[in-house]
Amino acid sequence: MTSLQGARASRPLAARMRPRTLDDVVGQSELRRPGTPLWRLCHPTEGERTPASVILFGPPGTGKTTLAHVIATEGQRRFIELSAISAGVKDVRRVMEQAQADRDLYGTQTVLFLDEIHRFTKAQQDSLLPGVEDGIVTLVAATTENPSFSVISPLLSRSLLLRLTSLSDDDLLSLIDRAIVDERGLHGAVAIDDEARTAIVELASGDARRALTLLEAAAGQADADIASAEKTDDADSSEQARLPRITAAVVAIVADRALVRYDQNGDQHYDVVSAFIKSIRGSDVDAAVHYLARMIEGGEDSRFIARRLMISAAEDIGTADPQALSIAVAAAQTVAMVGMPEGRIPLAEATVYLASAPKSNAAYLAIDRAIADIRAGEAGDVPSHLRDAHYKGARALGHGIGYQYPHDEPTGVSAQQYLPDSLQGRRYYEPTGHGFDATIGRRLDQVRRLLAGLPMQRAAQTPTVKTSEVPSGKTPEVPSGKAAESSPEATADADDGLEKK
């Protein structure tokens, strides 16, 4: 057995290198300063009241489990660990009963470490309240999800929330160097190049556990390489040459790509999808594709991505390019039929189309304005000539009398009242000057004149207004008396059924 094999013959390196004291913890310096709640939990003073429980919130590999162990060890408390994945209410009650007996009979305090508390149901979290309230246990709960969404309010109000951050590059470098020389780690059984240290730090992305796992795998690969070299005739027999060396090439062998920092249920889920939608809205195609790739590589549900694309097409592109919604729906249907990884292609196609399309939130604003009126009580009665007249006695009530059938009109538009009396003249939909919205705007100008009983302006008097010349969110103003430019938009009015025959 080589010295390296002896160094790693027991538990994984990340477990062996777990700090025993608060001073040994790497990173989270703001939380570890003397006098902070975490520091007082680890250094209890006789008679001093310390926080009854804490919730540690942060990405994987930032030291949540480690801090729980340190709190128990330095405070000379009994440590019990439960995982929300496998534990239930019965397990919690059993721990509480034992903790109360230990406190009352022996004066021993208990630290209950509950990993992944966000996986506990409301009823399971409720079972923790009596023990936390009475100080039977010091609860240390860990979660990668925002506790505001995943932990019940009564438990939050009784706990101190400590947010942990990803480790810095310097923190990870210090951790790697310590693991190589520490007797609990590799104990000097390997050497490492600077390029390899940098590569491990980049691949770890702020995750201490990931960094140590990569280091251990690279050490194993380097050990295997030197063992193979010793069998060749040209092997150097010197002790220094026989010491396994971790190089950047060795690291590349054990880790073919960086793990994506993405939690499907945590903050990264919300942050990345938010950046994805905002990049599409901002017409940055490259950024939108980048965030799409992060979600795909992070294992995000392809159906969730497809749903967000459909919402974006309707909300942010809307009538500026009505085809966008069809593209998004087609992508969603394609992904549902073909699955992943092939589904990444239609998702990318839809993302590129939506990001590069003209944008309009006019329809989105229109429905919200109308809903606001309804909620404010501004509904009004349906005009009698628009009411249903198909049932017996409807005509006697005046329903349908005076209704003008638009198809009988040469323009296809009849001048009559449609909105309730109290809302006459109300405008909900105001098209922008972007994309197809400009065409809709010109058509609506004509339609609204006809509805008001005013003479229609001929298409030749309606010039094209270029989208680039119209400020965002404004309807293009058309100067009168100018000839229309020769373009598809300029002749749209002649094709939309409004021109008199």
Side-chain angles (χ1 to χ4, degrees):
M1 176 183 292
T2 67
S3 57
L4 177 58
Q5 289 172 332
R8 56 188 177 90
S10 54
R11 297 177 297 159
L13 180 61
R16 302 199 308 272
M17 288 301 300
R18 178 162 287 152
R20 296 165 177 166
T21 67
L22 193 61
D23 291 337
D24 291 339
V25 174
V26 174
Q28 319 307 333
S29 57
E30 289 298 315
L31 300 179
R32 296 188 292 109
R33 288 185 293 105
T36 61
L38 179 62
W39 186 90
R40 288 189 291 113
L41 267 174
C42 296
H43 303 87
T45 302
E46 187 70 26
E48 180 187 12
R49 179 176 176 80
T50 57
S53 63
V54 294
I55 297 176
L56 303 175
F57 163 45
T62 51
K64 297 184 291 295
T65 304
T66 292
L67 288 175
H69 278 277
V70 168
I71 290 171
T73 302
E74 292 214 306
Q76 296 181 341
R77 304 176 178 96
R78 183 173 176 233
F79 182 82
I80 298 178
E81 181 175 357
L82 293 179
S83 173
I85 297 176
S86 56
V89 173
K90 290 183 178 179
D91 300 298
V92 172
R93 288 175 178 167
R94 185 174 63 252
V95 169
M96 294 298 181
E97 291 171 358
Q98 183 63 51
Q100 185 169 12
D102 289 343
R103 184 191 66 176
D104 296 343
L105 296 176
Y106 309 109
T108 301
Q109 296 295 318
T110 299
V111 170
L112 170 59
F113 176 60
L114 183 59
D115 198 14
E116 300 191 77
I117 190 174
H118 56 271
R119 296 183 182 272
F120 255 16
T121 65
K122 181 180 182 298
Q124 290 172 318
Q125 292 186 33
D126 281 336
S127 68
L128 296 166
L129 291 175
V132 172
E133 181 75 24
D134 297 337
I136 295 173
V137 297
T138 298
L139 174 66
V140 180
T143 178
T144 55
E145 290 192 12
N146 191 327
S148 300
F149 304 118
S150 57
V151 178
I152 60 174
S153 298
L155 192 56
L156 276 176
S157 66
R158 292 166 172 80
S159 307
L160 182 68
L161 178 61
L162 301 180
R163 179 163 189 162
L164 280 63
T165 59
S166 298
L167 273 65
S168 68
D169 290 354
D170 288 341
D171 290 335
L172 291 177
L173 288 172
S174 173
L175 186 65
I176 292 170
D177 291 342
R178 181 192 299 178
I180 288 177
V181 300
D182 195 288
E183 62 180 7
R184 294 179 298 151
L186 301 178
H187 202 190
V190 295
I192 187 170
D193 293 346
D194 289 340
E195 293 81 359
R197 293 166 72 246
T198 302
I200 291 175
V201 168
E202 292 176 352
L203 287 166
S205 301
D207 185 329
R209 187 183 300 108
R210 174 65 176 164
L212 292 175
T213 300
L214 282 169
L215 175 62
E216 186 171 32
Q221 181 66 43
D223 193 35
D225 289 345
I226 199 171
S228 176
E230 286 177 347
K231 296 179 181 179
T232 63
D233 295 336
D234 58 347
D236 193 327
S237 60
S238 69
E239 184 66 26
Q240 181 63 29
R242 290 173 56 249
L243 185 68
R245 175 168 291 276
I246 301 174
T247 64
V250 170
V251 175
I253 292 173
V254 300
D256 59 349
R257 63 178 178 178
L259 292 182
V260 178
R261 168 69 69 216
Y262 188 85
D263 182 350
Q264 294 182 47
N265 299 309
D267 274 3
Q268 284 293 317
H269 164 83
Y270 299 105
D271 292 344
V272 173
V273 74
S274 175
F276 176 59
I277 295 303
K278 289 172 182 174
S279 297
I280 292 176
R281 182 182 300 143
S283 300
D284 192 326
V285 177
D286 301 305
V289 172
H290 166 78
Y291 292 117
L292 173 64
R294 283 175 66 165
M295 288 190 288
I296 291 173
E297 283 297 286
E300 182 60 80
D301 187 346
S302 59
R303 295 170 299 177
F304 169 79
I305 301 174
R307 288 196 297 270
R308 296 307 307 174
L309 286 171
M310 289 188 285
I311 294 170
S312 175
E315 178 181 339
D316 294 318
I317 298 169
T319 48
D321 185 353
Q323 180 69 11
L325 184 55
S326 298
I327 295 290
V329 171
Q333 293 173 337
T334 303
V335 169
M337 287 187 287
V338 305
M340 298 296 281
E342 291 83 359
R344 75 191 188 283
I345 304 171
L347 289 175
E349 179 181 348
T351 297
V352 170
Y353 189 96
L354 267 57
S356 58
K359 306 298 188 294
S360 169
N361 66 346
Y364 164 63
L365 294 177
I367 186 60
D368 279 0
R369 289 172 186 144
I371 288 174
D373 275 356
I374 300 301
R375 291 176 177 174
E378 299 186 50
D381 295 330
V382 175
S384 60
H385 61 281
L386 298 182
R387 296 183 186 182
D388 182 17
H390 289 85
Y391 62 92
K392 186 177 180 179
R395 289 288 179 176
L397 297 174
H399 293 189
I401 297 176
Y403 173 66
Q404 300 173 31
Y405 192 51
H407 293 292
D408 291 340
E409 300 295 326
T411 60
V413 178
S414 57
Q416 60 185 329
Q417 178 181 339
Y418 289 95
L419 277 169
D421 291 340
S422 60
L423 294 174
Q424 272 294 90
R426 188 66 54 91
R427 294 283 183 90
Y428 294 119
Y429 176 67
E430 294 290 350
T432 69
H434 308 150
F436 192 70
D437 251 15
T439 302
I440 295 176
R442 289 190 294 272
R443 173 181 169 80
L444 282 183
D445 286 343
Q446 297 283 42
V447 169
R448 283 167 174 165
R449 288 182 63 85
L450 291 171
L451 290 175
L454 299 174
M456 182 183 64
Q457 295 178 341
R458 297 189 60 82
Q461 296 176 320
T462 309
T464 295
V465 178
K466 295 181 180 179
T467 300
S468 60
E469 298 173 353
V470 180
S472 175
K474 300 292 184 181
T475 302
E477 297 181 0
V478 180
S480 60
K482 292 187 178 181
E485 295 180 15
S486 178
S487 69
E489 290 84 356
T491 59
D493 289 333
D495 297 329
D496 62 11
L498 293 178
E499 283 291 340
K500 291 185 178 180
K501 300 177 182 177

